[in-house]
Each structure stands twice: as structure tokens, then as C-alpha cells.
Amino acid sequence: MFAERTNWNLAGNRLSEALARHRASGKRLFDLTASNPTDCGFEYDSEVILAALRNPATLRYEPNPKGLESARLAVTEYYSALGARISADDIFLTTSTSEAYSYVFRLLCNPGDELLIPAPSYPLFSFLAEILDVKLVRYPLVYDHGWQIDFHSLQNAASPRTRGVIVVNPNNPTGHFVKVNELQALNDLCAKHSLAIIADEVFLDFGFSGAAPLTLAANSQALTFVMSGLSKVAGLPQMKMAWLVANGPATLKKQAIEKFEIIADTYLSPNAPVQLATPTFLELRSGFQKQLLARVRQNLKELDRQLATQRNCSRLQVEGGWYVVLRVPATGSDEELALMLLETRDVYVHPGHFFDFRADGYLVLSLIAREDEFAEGVRRILQLASTS
Ligand SMILES: Cc1ncc(COP(=O)(O)O)c(C=O)c1O
């Protein structure tokens, strides 16, 4: 009855089963995979958020494939604060970054066409690609006192069926930002081989250096699609509001926007109340981002403090984002270690292979977990690592 693309293995894996057992047991869990900002003790201005959703204009239906202009103008202001001039005409509102990806995959790829994705990176892509009949080909990021794109491997990964290169800026979970020289090399490669750049910038505002981040939204040297949204920017994933910016050489950009209009008009996904509230939600972002960055900095400091007291584990350098990668002795598989942490120390972490790390010896920790939970979770991880 069903399409082959839905032949997923629906049985849980050992870690998810162990997690379900742990939750059912009612024991305290030190969850270092936290990714839901509404569940991490941040303060939100609930009055302002709820008032913004009660806009009387909500009672009118104004279909527009790009989304309401007032919300798109607010997105242009977001970019101008980052030093990028974007026209509201080049923006499409979507209900999630995932939906924005699906528009881009549909625009670029015939069934079986390929997109290049970074490894390690976020596991969302494989599901999206499967659902949309796109083949993903990995290109490695290399770590040598910080992460960088391996351009030699990137070039080798391209084939006649490649349609685009996905970059996550900064990447999840490595926290690596795209640098000016990397963007130049990407532009050269993509322009030469007629590839699009697909940039996921959901964590762009969460750099640790305080320097203004480099957004690809204003990049016009190659056909470029940039995605972000309120999930991370304003810590409001429940509002389901994201956007897609199209840029590039004039003719290509015009054609892409015309085609997106058809795709977006078919769904008209974003709802009126959230679109109307988006300017307010974006205004609230600095209050959220300050709290989140304070949390992340504190957790990193605590991690470094604890790491300094032992010799078995270290962490990889990280420039931004919500995660940090812990290097642990690779005495067994990362999954075994994550299972042992859960079953014997009540700590839940993601093993590196979940993010496509090719070797064992990596755990990914969420830096947005509450400070006390994070500190105790790290203490337990280091304790186990010192005895294994
Ligand atoms: C790199 C990256 N892109 C996209 C998303 C999903 O964003 P959205 O909620 O807008 O679909 C996430 C969520 O964690 C992410 O880590």
C-alpha cells in the first residue's frame, strides 16, 4: 500500500528505548540534550506575546504566497541590524525552517538529484531528503584547532547530479561559522558548477565572540537561499514561523522567486495571527538572546572548570550555537557510552554518531540546559569516563 520511501525502521533504537524506560521509572533525569527553549527556564514576556496574538486584523484573510508584508518587513529589519540589506520581495514566510528546506529541495531537485551536506551536522536533513526523494552526499568538516570546510572533499563530492551545497552557519553541533574566505570559495565552486548555496542560519545570532556574524542573506555571487526563523532567533518554536531569503545573480534569483511563488501559493501555510505578531516577536528577541547567551557562557565556563580537574576528556572548540562536543575516550561505541550514562548515572546525552561523527569518542551536550542540571550531568559524565 505504501511508497518505498516510507519503509522506515519504526522500531526504537536501544537508546530511545532506554530513555522511555527511564522516564517511566520516574527517576530524576539529567537531560543534556535539551533543545526546547520554552522548557529551559528562560523568561518570556507573556503579556506582550499574548497581546500580539490578539490583533483584530487576524479576522481578515489576506492570502499572499510570500506571506504578509508587515512580517516580511520585520524580517528585513532583522537583517539590516546584521548589516545586510534585503528586500521584502525576496522573502518567503514558512511555518518552519524544515518547510523552507522542502521548498528549496522541490525547486532544485528532480528525484535522485543530489545535495551536499556537511558532516558532522544536524540529523534533520536525512528525513527531509528521504521524504522529498533527494539523495544526500556528505562533505566532511575537518577539525584542527577549530572547524573548517574541507574544500577538496567538497569538490570531490560533487557529481553531475549535484544541485546545491547545504551550509549550516553556525553549524549544529560543531558551532562553526562560515568565514569570509570560505564564502568566497563556496561562491567560486557554486558559480562554476551551477550549484545553489543553501544556508541554514537558525543559530546565527548565537556567536560567543560578540563580533557581528556573517550572514549569507546578502550573498549574490551564486544562487543563494538562506533560512532562519523564530524557533531559535526568538526562542519561540511553538509559533511555527520561519523564513526563506532568495538571492543571487539577477536572472536566476528572479526565476527562483517566480517558482517559489507557485510552491508557496499551493500551501499558503503560515497563519494570520502569528504573521501579524511576528514584528513583535522579533522585537522581543534581544531579551531572549541575552538570557540564552548568558546560560551558554556559564555552562561552557562550568564545563571548562570541571575539565581542568581531569585528563580523560576534553572539549572541541566552539564559536557559537547551543551545543558543545565533548571528546571522550573511545573505549567502546558512543552509543554504548550514552546507554551506560543513562542507565547507571541518569544522564541523557546524544552520541556523536547521531550527528554523523564518523568515529567514536564524541558526545554532544546541550549548552542551554539549566545550569545546575548541566553541572551535575557533566560531573557524572566525567566520573564515568574516569572509571572506564
Ligand atoms: C541546524 C538546524 N536547522 C533547523 C532546525 C529546525 O528549525 P525549525 O524549528 O525552524 O524547523 C534546527 C532545530 O534544532 C536546527 O538545529
Side-chain angles (χ1 to χ4, degrees):
M1 292 289 288
F2 303 111
E4 277 170 28
R5 77 170 79 81
T6 65
N7 285 346
W8 297 294
N9 177 5
L10 298 178
N13 61 38
R14 285 163 69 209
L15 191 56
S16 64
E17 282 165 5
L19 180 64
R21 279 197 303 277
H22 194 288
R23 289 202 198 283
S25 76
K27 276 196 288 184
R28 171 147 195 211
L29 181 69
F30 296 87
D31 185 357
L32 300 198
T33 69
S35 65
N36 178 355
T38 65
D39 215 12
C40 290
F42 298 119
E43 277 177 26
Y44 291 88
D45 195 334
S46 45
E47 299 279 315
V48 174
I49 291 173
L50 293 174
L53 291 167
R54 280 184 60 91
N55 189 328
T58 277
L59 298 173
R60 227 177 91 75
Y61 183 39
E62 221 183 291
N64 181 336
K66 291 183 179 175
L68 290 181
E69 193 181 21
S70 56
R72 285 184 287 119
L73 284 170
V75 175
T76 64
E77 281 165 25
Y78 166 78
Y79 282 108
S80 71
L82 293 167
R85 279 187 55 196
I86 307 296
S87 162
D89 293 337
D90 302 340
I91 295 172
F92 286 79
L93 302 180
T94 61
T95 53
S96 62
T97 314
S98 316
E99 189 177 55
Y101 271 116
S102 77
Y103 287 9
V104 175
F105 289 12
R106 278 312 194 203
L107 174 82
L108 296 173
C109 297
N110 288 316
D113 279 350
E114 297 171 4
L115 292 171
L116 305 182
I117 60 156
S121 198
Y122 184 60
L124 168 79
F125 306 126
S126 42
F127 288 100
L128 275 174
E130 236 168 65
I131 294 169
L132 297 162
D133 300 327
V134 170
K135 184 171 168 216
L136 297 179
V137 178
R138 282 155 182 75
Y139 68 88
L141 301 177
V142 287
Y143 185 79
D144 182 14
H145 300 288
W147 291 93
Q148 43 197 293
I149 297 173
D150 176 352
F151 275 95
H152 181 67
S153 302
L154 175 59
Q155 198 145 3
N156 284 345
S159 83
R161 297 214 63 174
T162 308
R163 295 286 167 263
V165 181
I166 295 178
V167 290
V168 185
N169 180 37
N171 189 31
N172 173 4
T174 61
H176 154 257
F177 279 92
V178 175
K179 309 296 181 304
V180 176
N181 62 328
E182 289 182 321
L183 178 57
Q184 192 52 56
L186 267 176
N187 274 330
D188 293 346
L189 179 84
C190 290
K192 185 166 158 211
H193 297 284
S194 298
L195 307 178
I197 298 175
I198 304 160
D200 178 331
E201 296 193 342
V202 296
F203 293 112
L204 188 75
D205 295 340
F206 301 97
F208 304 155
S209 73
L214 172 70
T215 170
L216 274 61
N219 186 51
S220 58
Q221 289 188 40
L223 185 61
T224 303
F225 304 112
V226 171
M227 289 160 290
S228 187
L230 295 183
S231 280
K232 307 290 188 283
V233 167
L236 294 170
Q238 74 279 33
M239 296 304 170
K240 306 304 295 175
M241 172 54 63
W243 56 83
L244 167 60
V245 182
N247 214 328
T251 310
L252 275 177
K253 171 173 142 180
K254 182 168 172 291
Q255 289 171 336
I257 288 175
E258 283 167 0
K259 291 171 193 288
F260 275 144
E261 283 197 40
I262 306 286
I263 297 175
D265 199 34
T266 308
Y267 295 103
L268 291 170
S269 309
N271 65 70
V274 172
Q275 291 188 76
L276 289 163
T278 291
T280 304
F281 294 162
L282 276 171
E283 272 170 29
L284 293 176
R285 74 183 183 279
S286 68
F288 167 72
Q289 292 181 3
K290 268 194 205 118
Q291 294 179 66
L292 188 130
L293 278 167
R295 168 83 53 91
V296 162
R297 287 203 173 98
Q298 173 55 36
N299 282 343
L300 259 186
K301 203 166 129 194
E302 173 62 17
L303 176 61
D304 288 341
R305 192 191 66 73
Q306 293 197 34
L307 286 172
T309 65
Q310 53 79 64
R311 287 158 165 267
N312 294 304
C313 303
S314 58
R315 73 163 170 94
L316 303 192
Q317 282 180 29
V318 56
E319 298 165 17
W322 294 10
Y323 303 94
V324 66
V325 180
L326 193 63
R327 188 88 176 82
V328 291
T331 44
S333 76
D334 291 350
E335 191 181 16
E336 289 291 344
L337 180 58
L339 261 175
M340 212 188 303
L341 279 166
L342 185 56
E343 288 174 341
T344 68
R345 310 285 154 131
D346 304 317
V347 178
Y348 182 41
V349 288
H350 279 141
H353 80 81
F354 185 77
F355 291 88
D356 221 357
F357 277 82
R358 290 284 127 146
D360 284 312
Y362 299 95
L363 297 178
V364 174
L365 313 186
S366 166
L367 290 167
I368 71 164
R370 288 168 206 257
E371 286 96 341
D372 54 341
E373 191 168 1
F374 184 85
E376 181 58 23
V378 168
R379 200 180 63 74
R380 292 172 179 228
I381 295 170
L382 298 185
Q383 208 176 46
L384 181 66
S386 73
T387 56
S388 59

mmCIF file of all heavy atoms in Angstrom, residues 41-80:
data_model
loop_
_atom_site.group_PDB
_atom_site.id
_atom_site.type_symbol
_atom_site.label_atom_id
_atom_site.label_comp_id
_atom_site.label_asym_id
_atom_site.label_seq_id
_atom_site.Cartn_x
_atom_site.Cartn_y
_atom_site.Cartn_z
ATOM 1 N N GLY A 41 13.586 27.250 31.411
ATOM 2 C CA GLY A 41 13.602 28.249 32.478
ATOM 3 C C GLY A 41 13.937 29.667 32.021
ATOM 4 O O GLY A 41 14.314 30.500 32.847
ATOM 5 N N PHE A 42 13.827 29.969 30.742
ATOM 6 C CA PHE A 42 14.034 31.358 30.297
ATOM 7 C C PHE A 42 12.758 32.148 30.542
ATOM 8 O O PHE A 42 11.655 31.600 30.508
ATOM 9 C CB PHE A 42 14.390 31.409 28.804
ATOM 10 C CG PHE A 42 15.668 30.702 28.477
ATOM 11 C CD1 PHE A 42 15.692 29.615 27.620
ATOM 12 C CD2 PHE A 42 16.859 31.104 29.067
ATOM 13 C CE1 PHE A 42 16.876 28.947 27.335
ATOM 14 C CE2 PHE A 42 18.049 30.442 28.796
ATOM 15 C CZ PHE A 42 18.050 29.365 27.929
ATOM 16 N N GLU A 43 12.939 33.463 30.768
ATOM 17 C CA GLU A 43 11.747 34.287 30.995
ATOM 18 C C GLU A 43 11.272 34.891 29.688
ATOM 19 O O GLU A 43 12.067 35.464 28.944
ATOM 20 C CB GLU A 43 12.076 35.398 31.991
ATOM 21 C CG GLU A 43 11.968 34.904 33.405
ATOM 22 C CD GLU A 43 12.367 35.949 34.415
ATOM 23 O OE1 GLU A 43 12.257 37.152 34.120
ATOM 24 O OE2 GLU A 43 12.808 35.518 35.487
ATOM 25 N N TYR A 44 9.991 34.758 29.445
ATOM 26 C CA TYR A 44 9.369 35.353 28.254
ATOM 27 C C TYR A 44 8.377 36.407 28.717
ATOM 28 O O TYR A 44 7.749 36.233 29.771
ATOM 29 C CB TYR A 44 8.610 34.286 27.460
ATOM 30 C CG TYR A 44 9.495 33.261 26.782
ATOM 31 C CD1 TYR A 44 9.891 32.105 27.452
ATOM 32 C CD2 TYR A 44 9.912 33.442 25.471
ATOM 33 C CE1 TYR A 44 10.691 31.159 26.825
ATOM 34 C CE2 TYR A 44 10.714 32.501 24.844
ATOM 35 C CZ TYR A 44 11.100 31.364 25.515
ATOM 36 O OH TYR A 44 11.889 30.428 24.898
ATOM 37 N N ASP A 45 8.204 37.465 27.923
ATOM 38 C CA ASP A 45 7.218 38.487 28.272
ATOM 39 C C ASP A 45 5.844 37.991 27.805
ATOM 40 O O ASP A 45 5.384 38.303 26.704
ATOM 41 C CB ASP A 45 7.597 39.811 27.608
ATOM 42 C CG ASP A 45 6.835 40.966 28.220
ATOM 43 O OD1 ASP A 45 5.724 40.721 28.748
ATOM 44 O OD2 ASP A 45 7.334 42.088 28.178
ATOM 45 N N SER A 46 5.193 37.187 28.654
ATOM 46 C CA SER A 46 3.978 36.510 28.201
ATOM 47 C C SER A 46 2.864 37.495 27.860
ATOM 48 O O SER A 46 2.106 37.277 26.917
ATOM 49 C CB SER A 46 3.510 35.488 29.238
ATOM 50 O OG SER A 46 3.566 36.028 30.510
ATOM 51 N N GLU A 47 2.792 38.606 28.615
ATOM 52 C CA GLU A 47 1.735 39.596 28.317
ATOM 53 C C GLU A 47 1.875 40.105 26.881
ATOM 54 O O GLU A 47 0.905 40.159 26.123
ATOM 55 C CB GLU A 47 1.883 40.816 29.251
ATOM 56 C CG GLU A 47 1.743 40.498 30.722
ATOM 57 C CD GLU A 47 0.289 40.407 31.122
ATOM 58 O OE1 GLU A 47 -0.467 41.291 30.714
ATOM 59 O OE2 GLU A 47 -0.080 39.425 31.820
ATOM 60 N N VAL A 48 3.096 40.492 26.554
ATOM 61 C CA VAL A 48 3.330 41.074 25.220
ATOM 62 C C VAL A 48 3.096 40.019 24.135
ATOM 63 O O VAL A 48 2.493 40.295 23.096
ATOM 64 C CB VAL A 48 4.775 41.651 25.145
ATOM 65 C CG1 VAL A 48 5.102 42.128 23.744
ATOM 66 C CG2 VAL A 48 4.931 42.789 26.140
ATOM 67 N N ILE A 49 3.535 38.786 24.394
ATOM 68 C CA ILE A 49 3.369 37.712 23.394
ATOM 69 C C ILE A 49 1.877 37.452 23.157
ATOM 70 O O ILE A 49 1.399 37.416 22.015
ATOM 71 C CB ILE A 49 4.076 36.424 23.865
ATOM 72 C CG1 ILE A 49 5.587 36.633 23.851
ATOM 73 C CG2 ILE A 49 3.689 35.235 22.991
ATOM 74 C CD1 ILE A 49 6.394 35.494 24.451
ATOM 75 N N LEU A 50 1.131 37.334 24.234
ATOM 76 C CA LEU A 50 -0.299 37.020 24.074
ATOM 77 C C LEU A 50 -1.059 38.190 23.463
ATOM 78 O O LEU A 50 -1.935 37.997 22.608
ATOM 79 C CB LEU A 50 -0.900 36.607 25.423
ATOM 80 C CG LEU A 50 -0.352 35.282 25.971
ATOM 81 C CD1 LEU A 50 -0.871 35.009 27.377
ATOM 82 C CD2 LEU A 50 -0.705 34.121 25.042
ATOM 83 N N ALA A 51 -0.684 39.416 23.864
ATOM 84 C CA ALA A 51 -1.360 40.589 23.290
ATOM 85 C C ALA A 51 -1.122 40.644 21.780
ATOM 86 O O ALA A 51 -2.032 40.970 21.005
ATOM 87 C CB ALA A 51 -0.863 41.865 23.969
ATOM 88 N N ALA A 52 0.103 40.291 21.359
ATOM 89 C CA ALA A 52 0.430 40.359 19.928
ATOM 90 C C ALA A 52 -0.420 39.363 19.122
ATOM 91 O O ALA A 52 -0.688 39.581 17.935
ATOM 92 C CB ALA A 52 1.918 40.071 19.718
ATOM 93 N N LEU A 53 -0.842 38.291 19.774
ATOM 94 C CA LEU A 53 -1.649 37.286 19.061
ATOM 95 C C LEU A 53 -3.129 37.670 18.972
ATOM 96 O O LEU A 53 -3.919 36.978 18.342
ATOM 97 C CB LEU A 53 -1.506 35.916 19.752
ATOM 98 C CG LEU A 53 -0.127 35.260 19.616
ATOM 99 C CD1 LEU A 53 0.021 34.087 20.563
ATOM 100 C CD2 LEU A 53 0.108 34.807 18.174
ATOM 101 N N ARG A 54 -3.482 38.758 19.648
ATOM 102 C CA ARG A 54 -4.900 39.170 19.653
ATOM 103 C C ARG A 54 -5.166 40.335 18.715
ATOM 104 O O ARG A 54 -6.044 41.154 18.948
ATOM 105 C CB ARG A 54 -5.300 39.575 21.075
ATOM 106 C CG ARG A 54 -5.607 38.408 21.989
ATOM 107 C CD ARG A 54 -6.090 38.921 23.323
ATOM 108 N NE ARG A 54 -7.303 39.740 23.184
ATOM 109 C CZ ARG A 54 -8.541 39.268 23.247
ATOM 110 N NH1 ARG A 54 -8.733 38.005 23.468
ATOM 111 N NH2 ARG A 54 -9.580 40.066 23.100
ATOM 112 N N ASN A 55 -4.409 40.416 17.648
ATOM 113 C CA ASN A 55 -4.560 41.526 16.710
ATOM 114 C C ASN A 55 -5.890 41.388 15.950
ATOM 115 O O ASN A 55 -6.139 40.343 15.337
ATOM 116 C CB ASN A 55 -3.380 41.477 15.738
ATOM 117 C CG ASN A 55 -3.303 42.689 14.857
ATOM 118 O OD1 ASN A 55 -4.335 43.277 14.513
ATOM 119 N ND2 ASN A 55 -2.103 43.059 14.488
ATOM 120 N N PRO A 56 -6.764 42.417 15.964
ATOM 121 C CA PRO A 56 -8.051 42.310 15.248
ATOM 122 C C PRO A 56 -7.891 42.030 13.755
ATOM 123 O O PRO A 56 -8.785 41.444 13.132
ATOM 124 C CB PRO A 56 -8.709 43.681 15.480
ATOM 125 C CG PRO A 56 -7.983 44.273 16.639
ATOM 126 C CD PRO A 56 -6.608 43.677 16.677
ATOM 127 N N ALA A 57 -6.746 42.414 13.195
ATOM 128 C CA ALA A 57 -6.527 42.158 11.760
ATOM 129 C C ALA A 57 -6.526 40.657 11.460
ATOM 130 O O ALA A 57 -6.686 40.238 10.301
ATOM 131 C CB ALA A 57 -5.209 42.786 11.322
ATOM 132 N N THR A 58 -6.358 39.843 12.507
ATOM 133 C CA THR A 58 -6.408 38.384 12.388
ATOM 134 C C THR A 58 -7.723 37.901 11.771
ATOM 135 O O THR A 58 -7.794 36.820 11.180
ATOM 136 C CB THR A 58 -6.246 37.805 13.819
ATOM 137 O OG1 THR A 58 -4.868 37.772 14.116
ATOM 138 C CG2 THR A 58 -6.792 36.437 13.981
ATOM 139 N N LEU A 59 -8.778 38.700 11.917
ATOM 140 C CA LEU A 59 -10.094 38.262 11.449
ATOM 141 C C LEU A 59 -10.240 38.347 9.925
ATOM 142 O O LEU A 59 -11.231 37.918 9.366
ATOM 143 C CB LEU A 59 -11.189 39.085 12.151
ATOM 144 C CG LEU A 59 -11.187 38.897 13.678
ATOM 145 C CD1 LEU A 59 -12.167 39.838 14.355
ATOM 146 C CD2 LEU A 59 -11.514 37.451 14.032
ATOM 147 N N ARG A 60 -9.223 38.925 9.269
ATOM 148 C CA ARG A 60 -9.284 39.045 7.808
ATOM 149 C C ARG A 60 -8.311 38.070 7.148
ATOM 150 O O ARG A 60 -7.187 37.884 7.625
ATOM 151 C CB ARG A 60 -8.842 40.471 7.427
ATOM 152 C CG ARG A 60 -9.734 41.167 6.426
ATOM 153 C CD ARG A 60 -9.206 42.575 6.227
ATOM 154 N NE ARG A 60 -8.258 42.618 5.125
ATOM 155 C CZ ARG A 60 -8.593 42.573 3.847
ATOM 156 N NH1 ARG A 60 -9.861 42.505 3.499
ATOM 157 N NH2 ARG A 60 -7.687 42.613 2.896
ATOM 158 N N TYR A 61 -8.741 37.440 6.086
ATOM 159 C CA TYR A 61 -7.837 36.544 5.335
ATOM 160 C C TYR A 61 -7.237 37.298 4.173
ATOM 161 O O TYR A 61 -7.968 37.829 3.317
ATOM 162 C CB TYR A 61 -8.613 35.322 4.836
ATOM 163 C CG TYR A 61 -7.753 34.293 4.108
ATOM 164 C CD1 TYR A 61 -6.466 34.001 4.548
ATOM 165 C CD2 TYR A 61 -8.241 33.615 2.997
ATOM 166 C CE1 TYR A 61 -5.682 33.065 3.892
ATOM 167 C CE2 TYR A 61 -7.475 32.668 2.339
ATOM 168 C CZ TYR A 61 -6.176 32.398 2.788
ATOM 169 O OH TYR A 61 -5.406 31.470 2.142
ATOM 170 N N GLU A 62 -5.939 37.374 4.153
ATOM 171 C CA GLU A 62 -5.252 38.098 3.086
ATOM 172 C C GLU A 62 -4.199 37.173 2.472
ATOM 173 O O GLU A 62 -3.024 37.230 2.860
ATOM 174 C CB GLU A 62 -4.552 39.294 3.721
ATOM 175 C CG GLU A 62 -4.633 40.578 2.926
ATOM 176 C CD GLU A 62 -3.842 41.681 3.636
ATOM 177 O OE1 GLU A 62 -4.286 42.111 4.716
ATOM 178 O OE2 GLU A 62 -2.792 42.068 3.120
ATOM 179 N N PRO A 63 -4.603 36.255 1.589
ATOM 180 C CA PRO A 63 -3.616 35.283 1.088
ATOM 181 C C PRO A 63 -2.508 35.953 0.285
ATOM 182 O O PRO A 63 -2.784 36.846 -0.524
ATOM 183 C CB PRO A 63 -4.458 34.357 0.197
ATOM 184 C CG PRO A 63 -5.709 35.103 -0.109
ATOM 185 C CD PRO A 63 -5.925 36.119 0.976
ATOM 186 N N ASN A 64 -1.290 35.541 0.565
ATOM 187 C CA ASN A 64 -0.135 36.069 -0.153
ATOM 188 C C ASN A 64 0.935 34.981 -0.125
ATOM 189 O O ASN A 64 1.351 34.561 0.951
ATOM 190 C CB ASN A 64 0.367 37.337 0.555
ATOM 191 C CG ASN A 64 1.559 37.959 -0.155
ATOM 192 O OD1 ASN A 64 2.285 37.288 -0.880
ATOM 193 N ND2 ASN A 64 1.764 39.240 0.068
ATOM 194 N N PRO A 65 1.362 34.480 -1.284
ATOM 195 C CA PRO A 65 2.323 33.364 -1.274
ATOM 196 C C PRO A 65 3.604 33.684 -0.507
ATOM 197 O O PRO A 65 4.225 32.786 0.057
ATOM 198 C CB PRO A 65 2.611 33.106 -2.752
ATOM 199 C CG PRO A 65 1.996 34.219 -3.505
ATOM 200 C CD PRO A 65 0.963 34.865 -2.635
ATOM 201 N N LYS A 66 3.991 34.960 -0.505
ATOM 202 C CA LYS A 66 5.230 35.310 0.218
ATOM 203 C C LYS A 66 4.978 35.510 1.709
ATOM 204 O O LYS A 66 5.908 35.560 2.492
ATOM 205 C CB LYS A 66 5.835 36.588 -0.364
ATOM 206 C CG LYS A 66 6.385 36.384 -1.759
ATOM 207 C CD LYS A 66 7.035 37.636 -2.297
ATOM 208 C CE LYS A 66 7.584 37.360 -3.695
ATOM 209 N NZ LYS A 66 8.130 38.552 -4.324
ATOM 210 N N GLY A 67 3.721 35.651 2.089
ATOM 211 C CA GLY A 67 3.405 35.950 3.489
ATOM 212 C C GLY A 67 3.098 37.435 3.645
ATOM 213 O O GLY A 67 3.386 38.239 2.745
ATOM 214 N N LEU A 68 2.516 37.810 4.777
ATOM 215 C CA LEU A 68 2.101 39.202 4.975
ATOM 216 C C LEU A 68 3.307 40.146 4.921
ATOM 217 O O LEU A 68 4.358 39.868 5.502
ATOM 218 C CB LEU A 68 1.400 39.359 6.326
ATOM 219 C CG LEU A 68 0.018 38.705 6.443
ATOM 220 C CD1 LEU A 68 -0.581 38.968 7.820
ATOM 221 C CD2 LEU A 68 -0.922 39.208 5.349
ATOM 222 N N GLU A 69 3.088 41.291 4.259
ATOM 223 C CA GLU A 69 4.211 42.205 4.057
ATOM 224 C C GLU A 69 4.762 42.737 5.388
ATOM 225 O O GLU A 69 5.976 42.904 5.551
ATOM 226 C CB GLU A 69 3.789 43.358 3.160
ATOM 227 C CG GLU A 69 4.985 44.134 2.682
ATOM 228 C CD GLU A 69 4.648 45.309 1.803
ATOM 229 O OE1 GLU A 69 3.491 45.784 1.856
ATOM 230 O OE2 GLU A 69 5.562 45.761 1.090
ATOM 231 N N SER A 70 3.854 42.965 6.364
ATOM 232 C CA SER A 70 4.332 43.529 7.637
ATOM 233 C C SER A 70 5.348 42.591 8.299
ATOM 234 O O SER A 70 6.360 43.031 8.859
ATOM 235 C CB SER A 70 3.150 43.776 8.584
ATOM 236 O OG SER A 70 2.427 42.573 8.782
ATOM 237 N N ALA A 71 5.115 41.291 8.198
ATOM 238 C CA ALA A 71 6.052 40.332 8.793
ATOM 239 C C ALA A 71 7.344 40.287 7.979
ATOM 240 O O ALA A 71 8.443 40.242 8.544
ATOM 241 C CB ALA A 71 5.409 38.945 8.847
ATOM 242 N N ARG A 72 7.226 40.341 6.662
ATOM 243 C CA ARG A 72 8.445 40.295 5.839
ATOM 244 C C ARG A 72 9.286 41.547 6.046
ATOM 245 O O ARG A 72 10.523 41.487 6.057
ATOM 246 C CB ARG A 72 8.073 40.119 4.361
ATOM 247 C CG ARG A 72 7.631 38.678 4.059
ATOM 248 C CD ARG A 72 7.338 38.441 2.600
ATOM 249 N NE ARG A 72 6.097 39.057 2.171
ATOM 250 C CZ ARG A 72 5.979 39.984 1.249
ATOM 251 N NH1 ARG A 72 7.052 40.439 0.614
ATOM 252 N NH2 ARG A 72 4.800 40.473 0.926
ATOM 253 N N LEU A 73 8.610 42.698 6.253
ATOM 254 C CA LEU A 73 9.386 43.921 6.533
ATOM 255 C C LEU A 73 10.140 43.796 7.854
ATOM 256 O O LEU A 73 11.283 44.247 7.988
ATOM 257 C CB LEU A 73 8.462 45.147 6.552
ATOM 258 C CG LEU A 73 8.023 45.608 5.157
ATOM 259 C CD1 LEU A 73 6.915 46.668 5.256
ATOM 260 C CD2 LEU A 73 9.215 46.152 4.355
ATOM 261 N N ALA A 74 9.501 43.148 8.825
ATOM 262 C CA ALA A 74 10.190 42.944 10.111
ATOM 263 C C ALA A 74 11.429 42.061 9.908
ATOM 264 O O ALA A 74 12.464 42.267 10.549
ATOM 265 C CB ALA A 74 9.233 42.311 11.123
ATOM 266 N N VAL A 75 11.318 41.094 8.991
ATOM 267 C CA VAL A 75 12.484 40.233 8.712
ATOM 268 C C VAL A 75 13.595 41.062 8.042
ATOM 269 O O VAL A 75 14.781 40.897 8.353
ATOM 270 C CB VAL A 75 12.079 39.013 7.849
ATOM 271 C CG1 VAL A 75 13.302 38.191 7.464
ATOM 272 C CG2 VAL A 75 11.071 38.134 8.593
ATOM 273 N N THR A 76 13.205 42.006 7.164
ATOM 274 C CA THR A 76 14.250 42.852 6.538
ATOM 275 C C THR A 76 14.952 43.686 7.611
ATOM 276 O O THR A 76 16.153 43.932 7.529
ATOM 277 C CB THR A 76 13.691 43.800 5.449
ATOM 278 O OG1 THR A 76 12.797 44.726 6.062
ATOM 279 C CG2 THR A 76 12.987 43.067 4.346
ATOM 280 N N GLU A 77 14.193 44.118 8.634
ATOM 281 C CA GLU A 77 14.828 44.892 9.721
ATOM 282 C C GLU A 77 15.790 44.024 10.521
ATOM 283 O O GLU A 77 16.838 44.483 10.971
ATOM 284 C CB GLU A 77 13.760 45.500 10.639
ATOM 285 C CG GLU A 77 13.144 46.736 10.022
ATOM 286 C CD GLU A 77 11.849 47.150 10.706
ATOM 287 O OE1 GLU A 77 11.669 46.819 11.892
ATOM 288 O OE2 GLU A 77 11.020 47.789 10.031
ATOM 289 N N TYR A 78 15.393 42.760 10.710
ATOM 290 C CA TYR A 78 16.289 41.815 11.393
ATOM 291 C C TYR A 78 17.626 41.768 10.639
ATOM 292 O O TYR A 78 18.698 41.858 11.238
ATOM 293 C CB TYR A 78 15.619 40.433 11.435
ATOM 294 C CG TYR A 78 16.540 39.299 11.796
ATOM 295 C CD1 TYR A 78 16.922 39.082 13.118
ATOM 296 C CD2 TYR A 78 17.049 38.447 10.803
ATOM 297 C CE1 TYR A 78 17.781 38.032 13.449
ATOM 298 C CE2 TYR A 78 17.899 37.402 11.130
ATOM 299 C CZ TYR A 78 18.265 37.206 12.448
ATOM 300 O OH TYR A 78 19.123 36.177 12.769
ATOM 301 N N TYR A 79 17.545 41.679 9.298
ATOM 302 C CA TYR A 79 18.792 41.596 8.530
ATOM 303 C C TYR A 79 19.530 42.926 8.505
ATOM 304 O O TYR A 79 20.761 42.946 8.499
ATOM 305 C CB TYR A 79 18.520 41.078 7.103
ATOM 306 C CG TYR A 79 18.319 39.587 7.120
ATOM 307 C CD1 TYR A 79 17.065 39.024 6.925
ATOM 308 C CD2 TYR A 79 19.388 38.732 7.393
ATOM 309 C CE1 TYR A 79 16.880 37.649 6.988
ATOM 310 C CE2 TYR A 79 19.200 37.362 7.466
ATOM 311 C CZ TYR A 79 17.954 36.832 7.261
ATOM 312 O OH TYR A 79 17.782 35.472 7.344
ATOM 313 N N SER A 80 18.797 44.042 8.486
ATOM 314 C CA SER A 80 19.556 45.296 8.445
ATOM 315 C C SER A 80 20.315 45.495 9.754
ATOM 316 O O SER A 80 21.416 46.040 9.755
ATOM 317 C CB SER A 80 18.701 46.487 8.021
ATOM 318 O OG SER A 80 17.833 46.822 9.005
#
